[in-house]
Amino acid sequence: MKTAFSYGLSGIMLLALLVTPFTFAQLIPSMELDDSLQTDPVLTKIAYRNPAIESIPYDWAQRYPLIAHALGGIGGYPGTNSLESLKRAYRSGLRVFETDIVVTSDGHLVLRHDWVAGSYPVLGQTVPKSQELGPMTLAKFKATKIQHRYTPVSFKELVRFMSAHPDVQLITDTKEPDSFTAASIFKLIVRETSEVDPQVLRRIIPQLYREDNFEAVSGVYPFKQYIYTLYMNNDSMDEVVDFASRNEIRVVVMDENKYTAEFVDALWKKGIYTYINTINDVGQIKRYMNSGVQGVMTDFVIPADLRRDASGYRQKTKIAGVPD
């Protein structure tokens, strides 16, 4: 594996949140957070088995080739963003997590792909009547199980988990290419994180979808790490390399249909890591990494899978989280 340089939301309600965020917050009933995210003794013990990776921006990319997509899959289901999938992935040695973030009707951040009708059957949930479609309240979201068994997670609960597990890095997926909306969501992310543990902000990695997202998001908070993902834009190779390099963004994520060895090499020459999404086949992962890709987003592959299938695998750094 190559080693690169180490560097450095709806409508009126949303507008109200932006104009008077703290006053608005006081109008929303407080919700009790799920302590199981924080107090699991097994997870807490594991957390301190490895050092925190929060001090050096992008250090995680040198050590962790796997990013848990939507907090990792569980029970054969991808994309649950659930408590159980988070715990499973963490126990399996994953330390870098990507999660979907949306806003509830009462203004809270929660982990869910979106509120459209098509997402309900994917999550094993009953599609609401058309007049009821749209964001749930936080209370309803928390009460609606995923696949009839898995626990939905609010953003604040995830922050509490990160506070208790200082080796966890979080990549956001807000799915908002519009810069005004992106900035709006990140104001909520910064506010909710600060209300739990401001130090966790150092380990939150915004995922950008268009070039103008960078100025919008960095204007909200001086994040030290970013990911530029390509599935929502049609930037050329040269445009991507120039933008990422100019703004010291050291990780680019692309789909397989945008991968070329030339693209990866051009990024590499500027000290930029390439990750591919979403790959669940160990053989494919190995082939990509042998061609210069730093790692992948994955639903089900865990570090031990790479360790078991390491023959002919040019791994120049230790796969973190897996004992030798």
Side-chain angles (χ1 to χ4, degrees), residues 76-179:
Y77 297 107
T80 68
N81 291 285
S82 66
L83 167 61
E84 292 80 6
S85 63
L86 171 62
K87 288 183 173 182
R88 174 192 176 276
Y90 189 88
R91 286 194 181 102
S92 300
L94 288 139
R95 292 295 180 269
V96 186
F97 294 81
E98 183 261 11
T99 192
D100 303 298
I101 302 173
V102 294
V103 183
T104 64
S105 61
D106 47 353
H108 296 271
L109 295 172
V110 295
L111 312 187
R112 182 184 175 96
H113 190 275
D114 53 53
W115 301 111
V116 303
S119 288
Y120 286 82
V122 171
L123 298 174
Q125 299 169 342
T126 302
V127 181
K129 297 177 181 178
S130 58
Q131 63 267 31
E132 297 175 356
L133 273 174
M136 302 177 189
T137 64
L138 177 58
K140 185 173 182 179
F141 169 81
K142 288 292 296 175
T144 306
K145 290 287 188 179
I146 300 163
Q147 303 299 343
H148 309 287
R149 72 193 83 166
Y150 302 127
T151 308
V153 182
S154 73
F155 184 74
K156 279 190 173 181
E157 289 170 333
L158 179 57
V159 174
R160 290 181 69 175
F161 182 90
M162 293 179 67
S163 181
H165 302 81
D167 54 351
V168 168
Q169 301 272 337
L170 178 67
I171 297 167
T172 65
D173 191 359
T174 59
K175 294 179 176 60
E176 289 294 350
D178 176 75
S179 290

Side-chain angles (χ1 to χ4, degrees), residues 2 237-238 240-242 245 260-272 274:
K2 296 179 177 179
M237 179 183 75
D238 290 341
V240 171
V241 173
D242 176 70
S245 177
T260 66
E262 180 187 11
F263 202 165
V264 173
D265 190 58
L267 289 166
W268 169 249
K269 288 177 178 177
K270 293 292 186 177
I272 301 166
T274 300

Side-chain angles (χ1 to χ4, degrees), residues 6-277:
S6 296
Y7 296 91
L9 120 76
S10 293
I12 296 174
M13 176 176 289
L14 175 58
L15 182 60
L17 280 167
L18 296 176
V19 175
T20 56
F22 296 103
T23 301
F24 191 91
Q26 293 168 2
L27 300 177
I28 301 172
S30 61
M31 300 296 295
E32 184 174 342
L33 301 176
D34 186 347
D35 287 334
S36 66
L37 277 164
Q38 187 174 14
T39 58
D40 187 307
V42 174
L43 297 185
T44 301
K45 182 178 179 181
I46 293 173
Y48 293 96
R49 191 174 296 167
N50 295 315
I53 51 175
E54 58 179 289
S55 58
I56 305 174
Y58 302 103
D59 178 63
W60 59 270
Q62 294 186 32
R63 303 173 56 196
Y64 296 97
L66 300 178
I67 298 172
H69 176 246
L71 303 184
I74 188 168
Y77 297 107
T80 68
N81 291 285
S82 66
L83 167 61
E84 292 80 6
S85 63
L86 171 62
K87 288 183 173 182
R88 174 192 176 276
Y90 189 88
R91 286 194 181 102
S92 300
L94 288 139
R95 292 295 180 269
V96 186
F97 294 81
E98 183 261 11
T99 192
D100 303 298
I101 302 173
V102 294
V103 183
T104 64
S105 61
D106 47 353
H108 296 271
L109 295 172
V110 295
L111 312 187
R112 182 184 175 96
H113 190 275
D114 53 53
W115 301 111
V116 303
S119 288
Y120 286 82
V122 171
L123 298 174
Q125 299 169 342
T126 302
V127 181
K129 297 177 181 178
S130 58
Q131 63 267 31
E132 297 175 356
L133 273 174
M136 302 177 189
T137 64
L138 177 58
K140 185 173 182 179
F141 169 81
K142 288 292 296 175
T144 306
K145 290 287 188 179
I146 300 163
Q147 303 299 343
H148 309 287
R149 72 193 83 166
Y150 302 127
T151 308
V153 182
S154 73
F155 184 74
K156 279 190 173 181
E157 289 170 333
L158 179 57
V159 174
R160 290 181 69 175
F161 182 90
M162 293 179 67
S163 181
H165 302 81
D167 54 351
V168 168
Q169 301 272 337
L170 178 67
I171 297 167
T172 65
D173 191 359
T174 59
K175 294 179 176 60
E176 289 294 350
D178 176 75
S179 290
F180 176 81
T181 310
S184 304
I185 296 177
F186 274 94
K187 287 181 181 181
L188 292 174
I189 287 173
V190 171
R191 191 187 74 189
E192 291 200 4
T193 303
S194 298
E195 289 171 351
V196 177
D197 182 355
Q199 298 301 315
V200 169
L201 284 166
R202 292 186 293 178
R203 292 180 280 127
I204 291 179
I205 307 166
Q207 188 165 200
L208 308 177
Y209 308 93
R210 297 192 323 205
E211 289 191 8
D212 56 359
N213 291 170
F214 180 75
E215 184 176 357
V217 174
S218 62
V220 172
Y221 182 83
F223 294 100
K224 301 302 183 185
Q225 310 176 79
Y226 292 87
I227 279 181
Y228 193 41
T229 191
L230 307 185
Y231 76 91
M232 282 194 187
N233 66 62
N234 295 309
D235 294 356
S236 69
M237 179 183 75
D238 290 341
E239 287 171 332
V240 171
V241 173
D242 176 70
F243 168 71
S245 177
R246 186 163 25 93
N247 293 286
E248 298 188 348
I249 296 171
R250 300 300 168 192
V251 175
V252 166
V253 177
M254 62 182 70
D255 294 334
E256 290 186 90
N257 62 359
K258 291 195 175 182
Y259 162 84
T260 66
E262 180 187 11
F263 202 165
V264 173
D265 190 58
L267 289 166
W268 169 249
K269 288 177 178 177
K270 293 292 186 177
I272 301 166
Y273 300 109
T274 300
Y275 279 72
I276 307 290
N277 62 1

Side-chain angles (χ1 to χ4, degrees), residues 1-3 313-318:
M1 182 192 305
K2 296 179 177 179
T3 305
Y313 172 49
R314 298 204 304 268
Q315 175 75 21
K316 292 186 179 179
T317 60
K318 180 184 182 296

Side-chain angles (χ1 to χ4, degrees), residues 282-284 286 304-313:
V282 174
Q284 274 186 289
K286 184 169 69 173
D305 296 329
L306 293 186
R307 180 71 69 193
R308 282 192 293 267
D309 193 31
S311 59
Y313 172 49

